[in-house]
């Protein structure tokens, strides 16, 4: 057994907004990747438009830096629980991790999740307490909380003996103690090189590469990304890959590349322990093993937790289908969904008996919303239903996914949150009042209870509450509860919405469409004050007669309408409703558009 002492493979793991991507930016700058006068954007690793707009990391990305002759491959992982499949995939390529924790907020639910996966993989961890310059920073207390978390997750004595750093990622500063004044990230680089292990290599074993990620190049086709085990990889070596069925398929590699900063560069040989980017294998999947033709032995496949949420995707069947989007065919939609499932190990696509709709399974509604928004920007036009949780049968008992929800809010909102979550079958497990006006609550609650609740939570806490959740497991079904106490205002004919009609409908409920927009039969134009749905004419104009009366001819001024975001639209709909998504518009509609057919089906549904 030898080691590759000039290579380190590390992942940076943390909760949302604890500063992972900002710290990676500083590592790039200080490792000499850019010229001194070169203009560089912030959050370089957030390359997707959606990541930049929302300020979160959605997909794990690879890069590398060189420090004092050591090549450090860095994997920036997402911090949101819905993208936890990306974290599990990234951890399969590394030997160590930097756990970043906010000096004020401390370890949060996603910190627990990623640390649990890291400890299970047996990886060495460096703890960095970030944002120590915050006015409300409490680094000593946070360090105690991190120790408690390690103990809670059954860390070994060796794992408990972790190195600690204090950092200000935005300024590119790391220091070994709170008292010293850091000037750069040298302490962090030094700890990575000295404390995290180099990849172990067994030269007597055959070459193996576990494919942990897929990419695509317009020039080279599909790119397979994985770590090289045991022996160097050469383009001249005869190779095969072993698929999920265990079948060895011969391949011809056209090009081999390695990470060089943010880009990739071509090479003839990839050193054992390094991360390789292989092109020329069109059918390969995540979890497959590339190996030598003479020694075809597969590595254990990348395993991730099962999906907990399912959502129906279908073609757009409204009267406005094909007017705003370029891609509307069901074959193109399913092809795009299957392409996503290939790259995202936590997502699955099931074909249904109906050729025009498909079930997509994932970790949460936020993950689904990101996929839909991405497809929308690519020119797709489709309809989606309400997210549903995936139930299981265990020993004849119906079970459902349960999550642990952590709420941080002002103590004045404690009553309303406890009441709302209790109605949704939530159980209060823990309550901590730190005496500073804010409380921390911990609930055990079914996953289906959180669908549509996050917007309500922000309203109830006046935007000051923080809610995080983490998947706990499956428990027996806790019973049903009402998801929405209001009905829908549904348009009964096609045409254009008229200010006069909408003005007179406002006493019936809240409008979600402005005047002078196209409407059609079955389209939802507002939220009814009462429980049932009502069908209305949104195209009704004022009758023009020659009879006039003083004071009766006032202007109709409609209340301003705030357009629904994609997440709000998905959370709003009920089981018999859908969201119509085009590159330009987001509309709500009934699954059955015809008012007469809905009326005919009502007795069957009630029966």
């Amino acid at each position: 057994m030898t080691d590759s002492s000039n290579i380190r493979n590390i992942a940076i793991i943390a909760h949302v907004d604890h500063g992972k991507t900002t710290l990676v930016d500083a590592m790039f700058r200080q490792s000499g990747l850019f010229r001194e006068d070169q203009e560089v954007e912030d959050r370089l690793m957030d390359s997707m438009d959606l990541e930049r707009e929302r300020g979160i990391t959605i997909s794990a990305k690879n890069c590398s830096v060189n420090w004092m002759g050591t090549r450090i491959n860095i994997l920036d992982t997402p911090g949101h629980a819905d993208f936890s499949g990306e974290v599990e995939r990234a951890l399969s390529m590394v030997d160590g991790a930097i756990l970043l924790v906010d000096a004020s907020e401390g370890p949060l639910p996603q910190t627990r999740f990623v640390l649990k996966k890291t400890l299970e993989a047996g990886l060495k961890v460096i703890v960095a307490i970030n944002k120590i310059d915050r006015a409300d920073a409490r680094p000593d207390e946070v360090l105690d909380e991190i120790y408690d978390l390690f103990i809670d997750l059954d860390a070994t004595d060796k794992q408990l003996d972790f190195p600690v750093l204090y950092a200000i990622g935005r300024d590119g500063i790391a220091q070994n103690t709170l008292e010293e004044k850091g000037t750069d990230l040298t302490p962090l680089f030094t700890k990575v090189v000295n404390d995290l292990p180099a990849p172990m290599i067994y030269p007597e074993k055959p070459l193996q590469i576990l494919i942990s990620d897929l990419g695509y190049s317009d020039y080279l086709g599909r790119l397979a990304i994985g770590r090289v085990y045991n022996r160097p990889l050469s383009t001249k070596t005869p190779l095969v890959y072993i698929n999920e069925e265990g079948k060895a398929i011969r391949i011809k590699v056209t090009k081999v590349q390695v990470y060089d900063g943010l880009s990739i560069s071509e090479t003839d040989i990839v050193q054992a322990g390094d991360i390789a980017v292989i092109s020329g294998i069109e059918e390969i999947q995540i979890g497959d093993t590339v190996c030598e033709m003479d020694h075809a032995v597969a590595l254990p496949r990348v395993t991730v937790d099962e999906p907990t949420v399912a959502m129906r995707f279908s073609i757009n069947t409204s009267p406005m289908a094909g007017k705003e989007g370029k891609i509307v065919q069901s074959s193109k939609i399913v092809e795009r969904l299957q392409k996503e499932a290939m790259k995202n190990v936590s997502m699955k696509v099931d074909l249904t008996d109906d050729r025009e709709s498909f079930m997509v399974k994932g970790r949460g509604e936020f993950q689904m919303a990101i996929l839909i928004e991405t497809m929308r920007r690519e020119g797709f036009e489709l309809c989606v239903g309400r997210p549903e949780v995936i139930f299981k049968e265990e020993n004849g008992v119906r079970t459902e996914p349960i999550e642990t929800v952590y709420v941080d809010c002002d103590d004045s909102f404690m009553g309303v949150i406890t009441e709302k979550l209790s109605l949704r079958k939530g159980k209060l497990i823990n309550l901590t009042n730190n005496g500073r006006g804010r409380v921390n609550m911990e609930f055990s609650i079914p996953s289906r209870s959180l669908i549509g609740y996050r917007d309500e939570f922000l309203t109830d806490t006046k935007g000051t509450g923080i809610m995080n959740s983490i998947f706990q497991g499956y428990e027996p079904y806790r019973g049903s509860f009402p998801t929405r106490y209001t009905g829908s205002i549904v348009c009964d004919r096609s045409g254009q919405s008229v200010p006069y009609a909408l003005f007179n409908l406002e006493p019936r409920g809240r409008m979600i469409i402005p005047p002078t927009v196209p409407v059609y039969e079955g389209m939802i134009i507002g939220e009814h004050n009462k429980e049932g749905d009502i069908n209305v004419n949104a195209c009704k104009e004022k009758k023009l007669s020659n009879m006039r009366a003083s004071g009766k001819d006032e202007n109709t001024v409609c209340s301003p309408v705030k357009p629904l975001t994609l997440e709000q639209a998905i959370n709003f709909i009920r089981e018999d409703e859908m969201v119509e998504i085009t590159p330009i518009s987001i509309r709500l509609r009934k699954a059955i558009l015809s008012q007469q057919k809905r009326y005919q089906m009502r007795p069957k549904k009630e029966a």
Side-chain angles (χ1 to χ4, degrees), residues 234-372:
S234 168
T235 48
K236 296 172 184 174
T237 310
L239 298 173
V240 295
Y241 78 87
I242 302 171
N243 61 15
E244 198 168 0
E245 289 79 37
K247 186 180 175 185
I249 300 163
R250 187 169 179 176
I251 54 175
K252 186 176 189 317
V253 173
T254 56
K255 193 177 278 191
V256 172
Q257 297 164 300
V258 291
Y259 284 96
D260 182 11
L262 284 167
S263 57
I264 49 180
S265 59
E266 190 176 350
T267 182
D268 293 328
I269 294 179
V270 181
Q271 194 177 345
D274 208 344
I275 294 172
V277 182
I278 308 167
S279 53
I281 320 172
E282 284 304 313
E283 300 300 320
I284 200 163
Q285 306 287 343
I286 288 175
D288 293 349
T289 304
V290 173
C291 41
E292 293 174 70
M293 193 184 294
D294 302 335
H295 302 91
V297 181
L299 286 163
R301 294 185 73 83
V302 179
T303 56
V304 297
D305 293 340
E306 287 292 309
T308 55
V309 171
M311 203 166 175
R312 185 176 291 274
F313 284 57
S314 67
I315 62 168
N316 188 5
T317 54
S318 83
M320 294 185 188
K323 291 184 178 178
E324 296 174 355
K326 295 182 292 184
I327 310 169
V328 295
Q329 306 94 323
S330 60
S331 58
K332 296 281 186 185
I333 293 171
V334 74
E335 187 183 312
R336 174 67 180 83
L337 292 172
Q338 286 170 339
K339 182 181 171 186
E340 185 70 25
M342 282 178 194
K343 292 172 66 177
N344 191 336
V345 284
S346 64
M347 194 173 276
K348 294 180 180 175
V349 179
D350 292 342
L351 302 179
T352 60
D353 298 334
D354 177 8
R355 283 184 170 186
E356 296 178 344
S357 64
F358 325 97
M359 290 301 291
V360 180
K361 297 176 181 176
R363 288 283 176 85
E365 70 266 31
F366 185 56
Q367 183 188 26
M368 298 292 187
I370 292 292
L371 170 62
I372 295 164

Side-chain angles (χ1 to χ4, degrees), residues 7-9 28 33 45 60-66 70-76 89 93 212-216 223-227 256-267 269-271 273-278:
I7 294 177
R8 298 290 183 278
N9 298 318
F28 280 150
L33 192 64
M45 294 293 279
K61 297 176 197 68
N62 305 15
C63 62
S64 75
V65 298
N66 282 299
T70 301
R71 176 188 179 77
I72 304 173
N73 289 313
I74 302 170
L75 278 78
D76 183 18
R89 185 169 57 67
M93 286 194 272
S212 302
D213 195 6
L214 295 175
Y216 186 80
L223 305 174
I225 302 161
R227 178 173 157 180
V256 172
Q257 297 164 300
V258 291
Y259 284 96
D260 182 11
L262 284 167
S263 57
I264 49 180
S265 59
E266 190 176 350
T267 182
I269 294 179
V270 181
Q271 194 177 345
D274 208 344
I275 294 172
V277 182
I278 308 167

